[in-house]
Amino acid sequence: MTISLLRQYLHPYRSALWAVAALLLVQALGTLYLPYLNAQIINDGVVTGDIGVIWRTGALMLAISLVVGVVSVAATYLAARNAMGFGRDVRASLFRQVDSFSLSEMNEFGAPSLITRNTNDVQQVQMLVLMGQTMMISAPMMLIGGVFMALHQNVRLSGLLLVVIPVMAVVVGTILFRAVPLSRVMQSKLDALNDILRENLTGIRVIRAFVRTGYEQDRFERANEDITDVSLRLTRLFALMMPSLMLVFNLSAVAVVWFGGGLIGEGEMPIGDLTAFLSYIMQILFSVMMAVMLFLMVPRAAASAERIQSVLSTEPSIQDPSSPVPAPGSGSVEFRDVEFRYPGAEEPVLCGIDLRLEPGRTTAVVGSTGSGKSTLINLIPRLFDVTAGQVLVNGVDVREQAQEELWAGIGFIPQKAFLFSGTVADNVRLGRRDATDEEVWAALTTAQAADFVREFSDGLEHEVDQGGANLSGGQRQRLSIARALIRDTPIYIFDDSFSALDYATDARLRTALGRDPATRRANVIIVAQRISTILHADQIVVLDHGRVVGLGTHEQLLAGCETYREIVSSQIDESDLSGAS
Amino acid sequence: MASGPGTLGMTLPGSKARNFTGTVARLFSIMRPDRFVIVFVVIFAAISVFCNVLGPLLLGHATNIIFAGVLGEQLPPGVSQDQAIAELQRSGDTNQAQLLASMTLTDGIDFNALAMTVAAAVVTYGLGSFFNWAQQYLMAGVTQRTMFSMRRDVDRKLGVLPLKYFDSHPRGDLLSRVTNDIDNISTTLQQTLTQAITSILTIIGVLAMMFYISWLLALISIATVVLSLAGTLVIAKQSQRQFKRQWDWTGRLNGHVEETFTGHDIVKLYGHSAASQRTFEEANDEMYHASFRAQFISGIIQPAMMFLANLNYVAIAVIGGLRVATGAMSLGDVQAFIQYSRQFTMPITQLASITNVMQSGVASAERVFELLDEPQESPDPADPPALGRAVGEVVLEDVHFSYVDDEPLIEDLNLSVQPGHTIAIVGPTGAGKTTLVNLLLRFYEIDSGTIRLDGIDTADLARDELRRVFGMVLQDTWLFKGTIRDNIAYGAGPEQLRAGVTDEMICAAARSARVDHFVRTLPDGYDTLLEDNASNVSAGEKQLLTIARAFLSDPAILILDEATSSVDTRTEVLIQEAMARLQAGRTSFVIAHRLSTIREADVILVMDHGSIVEQGSHEELMAQRGFYYDLFMSQFAESYDEVSDTRTP
């Protein structure tokens, strides 16, 4: 997964990647050449007393340092550009992919998860690409180059590496091997502590009312002890890391001097090579350490890459037909023997639905939770595809229409009124971009939103926070209704969009909708919980367990539909009915 | 050590903590119980630094022994060192002569002396690592104990903060203070304290050694270090600006992604995809440029430092080589010096990064202390009267209250509630119907006037004593992560807890709440775990569980919220029945949504825009033809009349 993601999205940068590799090779060669020259200074200059050699070699070393510096900067430049470009491209792909998703993919992943994938996960992989270019390429180069140079200096002394590298790998490996599961435990303890805390904050009134502060503090204390215990073990484990690594480093140096001394004594090695050898062994150990650290990053980034890839490889279940049929019309909607079930589900959500909804009429859909109301209306703009039967808008199956054209004829007001950051006017104009201020005000007036918008000191230019956080639920719902009204579409769908309004506003809004010529001639479909909201509908559809169990006016249904009567009586008591007259 | 981490921190730009030294001092005062351990940590750190500074000197000595042997072997047989020097001087090779004169040559390498030196180096390095580990081990204990007590302090504080604090601070912010910030402090303590000590000691030790070996080379090294520090600062300042830009754009981009994905259906249905795409591309591009620049500029630091280090290396090699050749320095000294110069740059870069970590750590500590210093609820009276079993008579006299100064909400409220009476609180959405609940339970304190419970001023009571009298069933059903049994048992009062809450009591409460049957249909019954996103328990069933909890607590006064959103009709009937049973024989304050409740209430409080606008029985209020009349007509009359019309033809 990780590899294929990297391969695909790094492809455009391959020449720059090769350039980074080449630059890093030059950097590694230069860095490794320096100790060799230093050995030369000692062997040919110091020991023999040739000051000319010392100066000349010194100048060469300086030149190489300069080259190494320039090359490193160039490599950093390219690496940063590659990694950030990679991140940008992946983000853009993800964003486009998610945009093409239909409701079922959105539900499958969930918006919060998709947001994380588009932000944090991309960031993770992007960091891996950045670090990977500099470290993953240069660490093995330094390792191989270092070993090569060490062998070149002295083969027998290089035997030390056979001992030192495994020792270091074992030390680091053991610590990490024990640390990884422990940090997982740590994370779960941290989550537990957070959970308790979150509960304490959300339930603060209940806790205080039930006088359970002490009890909650005990729970917190236990979680606190747990986390302290685990993190103590973890930090103590990590306390071993640096000292043992330093010990390996230092003892290697001591060993080089001791065994090197022997070799020098036997005349096997010039003394200057000792200093060079020390440098090489340090460079080798350092690159091994870097490689290990990098591998710690890989699993996390790989998990992120996997999460990204799974979004990218998910095909949207609903796509435009290859040759869409245009379907202009006044907004008739027809359900023909419609069945809908979620993939793999035993029971269908909707079954055997046959309905005709005509323009100029208001249809209300009622039923208890889980009866399939929302699913029914979601089929009209083709947010889901039916599993059997047909949904027709203007006489044409929605699956044969271009989605954008289908949607252009529908004013959809969702249950959860979602607003965007921007001004009030921006939000209303999302419905129709070229609407004039007068038109915006007209829509606001019908939606019963004009009054509170007028109360804002900056009126239409009032800034709405992301998600509409600075407005009340009722205000958000009214703005989202205005946003739909300004579109002047032949079909309006209200998905329980009055729930956050108080009864008075609800009533005023319904009256206004009844007077507005646009909604009067439109096909209006309302899902609602409140009986008062739907009393005046031309027809009421009663759903129960995915089937239509009643269809007619309020009076007809009261007389002939048991489920409807139950719903009504749950809101208005029998006693009230009798007591009223 | 005396310079302290604080002063160093101040020298760097971008400090975020407002009162750096004060906060650091307070942090240290929290660690006071561990002060002896900290003394040991410092001592161990010093020993470890000493050993690690001594090591290269010993290795240099070993090199000298080898070098002496190598040169000694080069002497022609039978020629002594003095003779060789004299010979060299005569031939004009003064450099070589001086080199020989500066050492004691041996005939071949003196392996005994070498073995001794190497053994000493092994021991030194061994001790160095051991004490380094020991001080980190001890410090881990100090850090974690400190974090434990900080978390406990914060949690205790949350227990005594007034509700006002929770209502006016975002939850995410509070959460992050207890988790992220304390975590950050922990990292800071663990890393910076010991690292700062070792770094500073190492710098001092290494400097001393370098000057001891050669003041000339030492000065060169210091010049390099100063240069690289200055360079780092310049680059860091540049990159900070770029990082800020990067974060700005990241924030904007993430905001847009969040918005678009959350409002996915609206974006698509309203044909907004293309425009949203454009906004995204634009932000994505800006972010690419900003982050590329930030990464590149900060990425320069490493090569630049490396270049200067290499420069330093070359300088030492050349000048050291020259001086060895002239006998002014030993080869071992040069080798040791090279190692020291490496050791010297490391603690300095470490100190630089520590200051960054420390800045953010101290800023975190400040945020935590800020929370700890928030004014808390006024203490309970010293000798509060015991309430015993309350009857449930509530009297409000001349009560004044406002959430914000100068915006009075409740003025001159007088209300007398007899035991067993029902008070209905009605009003449009957002009228502040929970205000009265806040005052009765003393979640908020009234500005003036008195609230009496069974004749006792509630301000004279201990809050816990007062709250035990009340039971609450609210619209947002707060249940914690745990079994259904534990959640119902949550309602138990102190006497019940002392006597032990039996399964029978829990089942009886559940039966009264009409939820016993449902619980028993669950596979795990009363041991079913309630999770945040539990799909096995619906919203309505959760509400029934909170009613069961209230039954168990058997309160004298009830606070009920009748709103039942997203509950299906059948469950709603169950909830109504259960609430009615719960109300029997208790004084109840009901945030009313149902006609029957309002009509049967003894007193109706009508609220609008946060304040109580009318008060009286249904008939009285209807006769007044005021706000209540309008509200009633718009809310209930329509459906009421029409339904009754159709039912009574």
Side-chain angles (χ1 to χ4, degrees):
Chain A
M1 283 292 227
T2 319
I3 300 296
S4 64
L5 182 77
L6 292 180
R7 187 181 299 153
Q8 187 187 346
Y9 284 92
L10 283 175
H11 192 71
Y13 302 97
R14 63 192 179 285
S15 45
L17 282 173
W18 282 113
V20 171
L23 289 170
L24 289 176
L25 182 67
V26 174
Q27 182 197 327
L29 289 178
T31 314
L32 290 166
Y33 195 42
L34 285 177
Y36 175 79
L37 290 175
N38 191 32
Q40 259 188 358
I41 287 187
I42 294 170
N43 290 336
D44 302 342
V46 177
V47 177
T48 58
D50 187 341
I51 290 170
V53 169
I54 296 181
W55 276 120
R56 273 197 306 280
T57 319
L60 186 57
M61 284 175 79
L62 205 60
I64 288 173
S65 295
L66 199 64
V67 170
V68 168
V70 170
V71 162
S72 307
V73 170
T76 309
Y77 178 88
L78 287 178
R81 215 179 58 176
N82 291 344
M84 299 304 135
F86 166 85
R88 177 195 57 187
D89 298 350
V90 173
R91 260 194 306 274
S93 280
L94 269 177
F95 192 83
R96 272 195 298 274
Q97 186 73 11
V98 172
D99 184 66
S100 75
F101 278 178
S102 62
L103 196 54
S104 50
E105 285 86 39
M106 288 308 285
N107 288 344
E108 188 188 322
F109 285 109
S113 163
L114 286 172
I115 294 164
T116 323
R117 287 169 206 236
N118 205 162
T119 54
N120 287 5
D121 284 332
V122 174
Q123 200 98 17
Q124 283 292 339
V125 182
Q126 181 177 284
M127 276 325 275
L128 180 78
V129 171
L130 183 67
M131 308 292 262
Q133 284 179 83
T134 44
M135 281 207 266
M136 247 189 236
I137 298 177
S138 71
M141 269 191 213
M142 289 298 281
L143 182 67
I144 296 167
V147 170
F148 179 79
M149 291 304 279
L151 283 169
H152 175 77
Q153 291 294 320
N154 192 291
V155 179
R156 282 176 63 190
L157 200 51
S158 302
L160 255 181
L161 290 172
L162 290 179
V163 181
V164 174
I165 293 178
V167 165
M168 185 155 122
V170 167
V171 167
V172 177
T174 316
I175 293 176
L176 291 183
F177 187 74
R178 298 182 58 188
V180 169
L182 207 54
S183 28
R184 221 169 279 139
V185 176
M186 167 100 174
Q187 191 55 48
S188 72
K189 299 285 180 201
L190 202 65
D191 289 345
L193 187 90
N194 279 347
D195 280 349
I196 294 177
L197 205 62
R198 191 170 297 125
E199 278 179 6
N200 276 321
L201 292 177
T202 50
I204 185 97
R205 281 184 162 76
V206 176
I207 293 167
R208 293 204 177 174
F210 282 108
V211 195
R212 283 311 197 96
T213 310
Y215 173 82
E216 291 298 330
Q217 281 175 353
D218 288 346
R219 273 177 77 202
F220 184 87
E221 186 102 348
R222 275 197 300 279
N224 194 2
E225 274 162 15
D226 272 1
I227 199 167
T228 305
D229 178 55
V230 177
S231 61
L232 187 61
R233 275 193 286 159
L234 196 64
T235 29
R236 289 202 165 147
L237 190 61
F238 273 117
L240 271 174
M241 185 73 111
M242 270 325 273
S244 42
L245 276 179
M246 287 308 292
L247 194 65
V248 173
F249 272 53
N250 290 329
L251 290 188
S252 318
V254 175
V256 167
V257 171
W258 171 247
F259 293 111
L263 290 171
I264 293 167
E266 290 166 28
E268 288 269 320
M269 191 172 101
I271 186 159
D273 289 10
L274 200 61
T275 324
F277 204 89
L278 270 179
S279 301
Y280 290 135
I281 209 159
M282 291 303 148
Q283 265 158 6
I284 291 166
L285 292 183
F286 193 68
S287 42
V288 171
M289 200 173 79
M290 281 306 208
V292 171
M293 298 287 175
L294 207 65
F295 274 109
L296 280 182
M297 251 182 87
V298 170
R300 214 170 143 195
S304 289
E306 209 163 296
R307 286 156 52 83
I308 293 169
Q309 192 69 285
S310 79
V311 174
L312 290 176
S313 59
T314 301
E315 282 296 316
S317 57
I318 296 178
Q319 283 171 350
D320 271 344
S322 47
S323 50
V325 179
S330 53
S332 72
V333 173
E334 191 183 349
F335 290 82
R336 279 192 198 155
D337 197 20
V338 163
E339 182 213 79
F340 177 80
R341 66 175 75 218
Y342 286 105
E346 237 171 73
E347 292 285 316
V349 181
L350 292 171
C351 182
I353 307 278
D354 272 297
L355 287 173
R356 285 187 69 87
L357 317 175
E358 292 301 336
R361 289 165 64 86
T362 300
T363 306
V365 183
V366 293
S368 57
T369 32
S371 59
K373 289 174 302 202
S374 285
T375 313
L376 183 78
I377 52 161
N378 281 340
L379 292 176
I380 301 170
R382 206 188 164 203
L383 296 181
F384 294 115
D385 267 346
V386 294
T387 41
Q390 273 185 309
V391 177
L392 300 100
V393 169
N394 291 329
V396 178
D397 192 320
V398 290
R399 286 169 294 185
E400 290 168 14
Q401 304 187 23
Q403 291 180 79
E404 298 245 336
E405 279 173 36
L406 172 67
W407 295 333
I410 298 173
F412 192 91
I413 302 102
Q415 199 166 1
K416 200 171 169 293
F418 188 84
L419 299 181
F420 296 86
S421 49
T423 63
V424 168
D426 289 343
N427 267 288
V428 177
R429 285 209 178 91
L430 194 81
R432 190 153 55 84
R433 224 153 295 153
D434 55 4
T436 62
D437 274 6
E438 286 75 48
E439 287 170 318
V440 171
W441 276 116
L444 288 172
T445 308
T446 310
Q448 304 302 311
D451 286 348
F452 75 82
V453 172
R454 225 169 262 125
E455 275 179 33
F456 296 140
S457 56
D458 37 6
L460 283 183
E461 297 311 307
H462 186 74
E463 283 291 329
V464 178
D465 287 352
Q466 195 187 325
N470 55 344
L471 298 174
S472 76
Q475 290 175 331
R476 282 203 293 275
Q477 269 191 343
R478 280 175 273 172
L479 285 184
S480 100
I481 290 168
R483 178 172 69 190
L485 290 179
I486 206 162
R487 285 171 65 106
D488 190 11
T489 49
I491 301 173
Y492 280 103
I493 302 173
F494 294 87
D495 185 0
D496 202 5
S497 325
F498 308 118
S499 58
L501 307 180
D502 56 65
Y503 285 82
T505 315
D506 182 346
R508 278 201 306 276
L509 174 59
R510 273 180 289 116
T511 313
L513 285 178
R515 285 195 198 114
D516 187 340
T519 41
R520 275 171 80 97
R521 63 172 175 266
N523 187 350
V524 179
I525 302 149
I526 298 176
V527 169
Q529 308 269 1
R530 282 184 204 156
I531 293 302
S532 60
T533 312
I534 57 167
L535 272 175
H536 303 291
D538 298 304
Q539 61 175 352
I540 299 171
V541 179
V542 187
L543 282 181
D544 196 30
H545 291 109
R547 288 173 183 278
V548 177
V549 294
L551 179 66
T553 62
H554 173 70
E555 290 76 14
Q556 291 166 341
L557 289 169
L558 264 186
C561 178
E562 182 54 36
T563 315
Y564 188 71
R565 266 204 301 274
E566 255 181 52
I567 293 169
V568 172
S569 65
S570 77
Q571 294 187 24
I572 294 148
D573 277 358
E574 296 289 329
S575 58
D576 295 334
L577 293 180
S578 49
S581 49
Chain B
M1 202 36 241
S3 60
T7 43
L8 255 166
M10 292 310 280
T11 60
L12 271 178
S15 77
K16 282 175 219 119
R18 264 163 289 159
N19 179 3
F20 193 93
T21 36
T23 309
V24 168
R26 189 161 168 191
L27 206 52
F28 274 113
S29 74
I30 294 181
M31 299 194 285
R32 228 181 116 71
D34 274 320
R35 59 191 179 283
F36 295 114
V37 185
I38 294 175
V39 169
F40 274 106
V41 168
V42 174
I43 294 173
F44 287 0
I47 296 175
S48 146
V49 168
F50 178 77
C51 291
N52 286 331
V53 169
L54 195 64
L57 201 68
L58 289 169
L59 279 187
H61 187 61
T63 309
N64 282 341
I65 292 171
I66 297 170
F67 195 35
V70 170
L71 288 181
E73 272 192 339
Q74 285 174 352
L75 294 180
V79 180
S80 74
Q81 189 178 354
D82 293 337
Q83 286 169 328
I85 293 171
E87 177 62 31
L88 280 169
Q89 262 167 349
R90 210 170 12 240
S91 67
D93 199 345
T94 42
N95 279 346
Q96 196 74 344
Q98 275 167 355
L99 172 65
L100 284 191
S102 67
M103 351 184 16
T104 323
L105 297 188
T106 50
D107 187 14
I109 298 168
D110 181 350
F111 277 102
N112 280 334
L114 186 61
M116 292 290 289
T117 315
V118 163
V122 169
V123 172
T124 308
Y125 279 132
L127 285 177
S129 276
F130 173 79
F131 280 106
N132 189 7
W133 169 76
Q135 62 96 354
Q136 285 196 44
Y137 183 90
L138 289 180
M139 196 58 207
V142 175
T143 309
Q144 295 310 325
R145 275 192 294 277
T146 309
M147 289 313 104
F148 177 82
S149 70
M150 265 183 113
R151 271 194 292 260
R152 191 181 49 198
D153 288 351
V154 170
D155 187 55
R156 295 260 160 91
K157 182 72 188 189
L158 292 181
V160 293
L161 279 173
L163 254 292
K164 188 176 186 169
Y165 184 84
F166 297 98
D167 290 346
S168 58
H169 285 77
R171 204 177 295 153
D173 177 63
L174 283 171
L175 269 174
S176 107
R177 284 184 201 222
V178 188
T179 53
N180 298 349
D181 280 329
I182 290 191
D183 218 42
N184 197 15
I185 302 169
S186 151
T187 321
T188 311
L189 278 187
Q190 180 69 27
Q191 284 183 5
T192 58
L193 198 65
T194 55
Q195 267 192 20
I197 296 169
T198 34
S199 296
I200 291 165
L201 288 180
T202 307
I203 291 171
I204 295 170
V206 166
L207 261 183
M209 288 311 236
M210 293 205 306
F211 274 100
Y212 168 70
I213 293 171
S214 160
W215 62 266
L216 179 64
L217 291 185
L219 285 180
I220 292 173
S221 289
I222 289 176
T224 330
V225 165
V226 168
L227 261 180
S228 52
L229 275 188
T232 310
L233 277 185
V234 170
I235 299 173
K237 213 169 185 176
Q238 282 295 321
S239 75
Q240 239 170 30
R241 199 177 311 150
Q242 297 299 335
F243 271 117
K244 206 192 154 304
R245 264 174 57 91
Q246 183 192 338
W247 284 120
D248 286 350
W249 279 108
T250 308
R252 256 189 265 186
L253 187 79
N254 289 0
H256 181 69
V257 169
E258 207 175 317
E259 186 163 274
T260 313
F261 286 6
T262 316
H264 184 259
D265 44 354
I266 292 297
V267 170
K268 290 191 79 170
L269 292 178
Y270 282 68
H272 205 59
S273 284
S276 161
Q277 196 83 249
R278 271 197 304 280
T279 315
F280 174 83
E281 299 282 347
E282 196 184 309
N284 196 16
D285 230 47
E286 287 290 343
M287 178 169 151
Y288 160 72
H289 287 296
S291 60
F292 158 62
R293 260 183 231 124
Q295 291 296 345
F296 171 56
I297 293 176
S298 67
I300 289 177
I301 294 181
Q302 185 70 10
M305 296 277 275
M306 212 164 73
F307 174 67
L308 284 168
N310 280 337
L311 207 66
N312 191 28
Y313 183 78
V314 171
I316 295 167
V318 170
I319 296 170
L322 286 172
R323 290 176 64 82
V324 173
T326 59
M329 233 179 130
S330 73
L331 182 63
D333 282 350
V334 176
Q335 186 203 307
F337 201 96
I338 289 176
Q339 286 199 16
Y340 283 131
S341 72
R342 285 242 173 86
Q343 274 191 18
F344 190 47
T345 38
M346 195 145 80
I348 286 177
T349 45
Q350 242 172 24
L351 269 185
S353 72
I354 285 172
T355 44
N356 273 336
V357 176
M358 202 151 53
Q359 287 297 339
S360 91
V362 170
S364 282
E366 203 162 56
R367 280 159 51 81
V368 173
F369 291 148
E370 218 171 71
L371 174 64
L372 289 177
D373 292 342
E374 285 292 332
Q376 51 196 55
E377 283 185 324
S378 59
D380 282 330
D383 191 18
L387 205 52
R389 173 74 200 167
V391 184
E393 185 206 31
V394 181
V395 178
L396 286 82
E397 273 173 18
D398 304 329
V399 169
H400 289 249
F401 175 72
S402 63
Y403 283 109
V404 187
D405 293 342
D406 307 329
E407 279 180 36
L409 275 186
I410 292 178
E411 289 176 284
D412 267 329
L413 175 63
N414 286 288
L415 177 68
S416 173
V417 182
Q418 297 307 307
H421 274 193
T422 297
I423 310 301
I425 306 167
V426 298
T429 335
K433 283 171 285 192
T434 49
T435 305
L436 197 65
V437 178
N438 282 335
L439 299 184
L440 287 173
L441 284 156
R442 283 185 66 200
F443 287 151
Y444 282 76
E445 300 290 341
I446 52 177
D447 296 335
S448 66
T450 46
I451 301 177
R452 279 187 230 283
L453 174 67
D454 290 0
I456 304 171
D457 188 342
T458 54
D460 292 337
L461 287 166
R463 283 189 185 76
D464 285 356
E465 182 81 10
L466 166 70
R467 288 171 188 165
R468 275 190 196 114
V469 175
F470 290 86
M472 283 204 311
V473 178
L474 299 181
Q475 189 189 0
D476 50 346
T477 51
W478 185 81
L479 295 166
F480 64 91
K481 213 164 155 179
T483 62
I484 289 182
R485 182 196 316 278
D486 290 347
N487 267 291
I488 296 178
Y490 205 79
E495 294 86 27
Q496 284 168 309
L497 283 176
R498 231 171 287 131
V501 184
T502 61
D503 279 4
E504 284 89 88
M505 292 162 73
I506 289 169
C507 293
R511 268 196 300 277
S512 307
R514 300 278 187 267
V515 75
D516 177 66
H517 173 72
F518 161 72
V519 174
R520 287 177 194 278
T521 61
L522 295 169
D524 295 325
Y526 281 91
D527 292 318
T528 305
L529 270 178
L530 294 175
E531 304 263 2
D532 292 343
N533 45 4
S535 48
N536 50 350
V537 181
S538 74
E541 285 145 4
K542 279 185 183 163
Q543 196 129 31
L544 289 176
L545 289 175
T546 64
I547 296 176
R549 183 170 68 189
F551 263 114
L552 189 77
S553 74
D554 189 23
I557 305 177
L558 261 183
I559 288 168
L560 292 179
D561 188 344
E562 277 188 339
T564 45
S565 58
S566 58
V567 170
D568 66 79
T569 22
R570 288 181 186 85
T571 316
E572 182 152 356
V573 173
L574 286 180
I575 293 174
Q576 282 166 23
E577 282 177 23
M579 279 193 178
R581 284 170 64 98
L582 187 58
Q583 272 176 270
R586 303 178 213 270
T587 308
S588 23
F589 291 84
V590 186
I591 296 171
H593 290 258
R594 296 170 35 70
L595 191 57
S596 57
T597 314
I598 298 175
R599 288 174 53 97
E600 283 157 25
D602 297 286
V603 180
I604 299 168
L605 292 180
V606 188
M607 303 208 55
D608 189 35
H609 287 109
S611 46
I612 294 171
V613 291
E614 285 171 21
Q615 173 184 342
S617 71
H618 175 68
E619 284 71 24
E620 287 165 17
L621 292 172
M622 287 303 274
Q624 275 181 24
R625 299 230 154 200
F627 187 81
Y628 177 79
Y629 176 83
D630 292 339
L631 187 75
F632 182 83
M633 292 314 278
S634 68
Q635 275 202 15
F636 297 101
E638 185 186 5
S639 52
Y640 179 78
D641 290 343
E642 294 192 26
V643 172
S644 34
D645 285 351
T646 53
R647 290 301 300 261
T648 49

